[in-house]
C-alpha cells in the first residue's frame, strides 16, 4: 500500500541523505587538497619566476663575458701578428737584443751592459764581410 510505498521512499530518502553526507565529506577533503595544491602551485610559480630572472641575468653576464673574450682574442691576435712582423730579420733593433735569454726579465747590470757592449764591439770587426754559411 501506500503506506508501504511511503516507508520505502522514506528509507530511500534517508539513504540518499547519508550518501549525500558522505559525498559532502569527500568533497570537503578534495576542496582542501585543491586549496593546498593551489598554494603549492603559487610557491612553485614564484620560484620559477625567480629562477628565470636569475637565468636571464646569468645569460646576459655570459654574453658580456663572451664579448669581452672575443675582444681580447682579437686584440691578442692582432698584437701577435704585429709582434711576429716586428721580429723579422730585417726589423731587428738593438732593443730586440734585450729580449734574448741573457737579458730578458733581468736587471741590466753594469756586467750585462759590458757583455753587451763587447758583443757589439766584436761584431764591428765583421763590417764589410759577406757571411755565406749558416751555423
Amino acid at each position: 500500500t501506500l503506506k508501504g510505498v511511503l516507508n520505502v521512499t522514506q528509507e530511500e530518502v534517508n539513504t540518499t541523505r547519508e550518501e549525500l553526507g558522505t559525498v559532502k565529506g569527500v568533497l570537503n577533503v578534495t576542496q582542501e587538497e585543491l586549496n593546498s595544491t593551489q598554494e603549492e602551485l603559487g610557491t612553485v610559480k614564484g620560484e620559477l619566476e625567480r629562477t628565470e630572472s636569475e637565468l636571464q641575468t646569468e645569460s646576459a653576464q655570459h654574453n658580456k663575458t663572451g664579448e669581452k673574450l672575443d675582444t681580447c682574442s682579437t686584440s691578442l691576435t692582432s698584437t701577435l701578428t704585429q709582434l711576429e712582423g716586428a721580429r723579422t730579420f730585417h726589423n731587428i733593433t738593438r732593443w730586440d737584443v734585450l729580449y734574448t735569454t741573457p737579458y730578458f726579465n733581468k736587471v741590466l747590470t753594469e756586467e750585462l751592459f759590458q757583455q753587451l757592449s763587447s758583443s757589439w764591439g766584436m761584431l764591428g770587426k765583421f763590417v764589410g764581410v759577406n757571411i755565406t754559411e749558416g751555423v
Side-chain angles (χ1 to χ4, degrees), residues 2 56 69 105:
L2 186 58
Q56 288 175 350
L69 183 58
N105 205 20

Side-chain angles (χ1 to χ4, degrees), residues 18-28:
E18 287 175 10
E19 290 174 355
L20 180 60
T22 303
V23 169
K24 281 183 179 181
V26 170
L27 179 62
N28 288 337

Side-chain angles (χ1 to χ4, degrees), residues 12 20 44 64 67 77 81 84 91 104 112 115 124 127 129:
E12 289 174 351
L20 180 60
V44 170
K64 287 179 184 178
E67 290 171 7
T77 301
T81 301
E84 287 171 353
N91 294 332
F104 184 70
L112 285 175
Q115 288 175 1
V127 172
V129 174

Side-chain angles (χ1 to χ4, degrees), residues 50-61:
R50 282 190 296 279
T51 302
E52 287 176 338
S53 176
E54 288 175 16
L55 180 60
Q56 288 175 350
T57 300
E58 290 297 323
S59 179
Q61 288 177 344

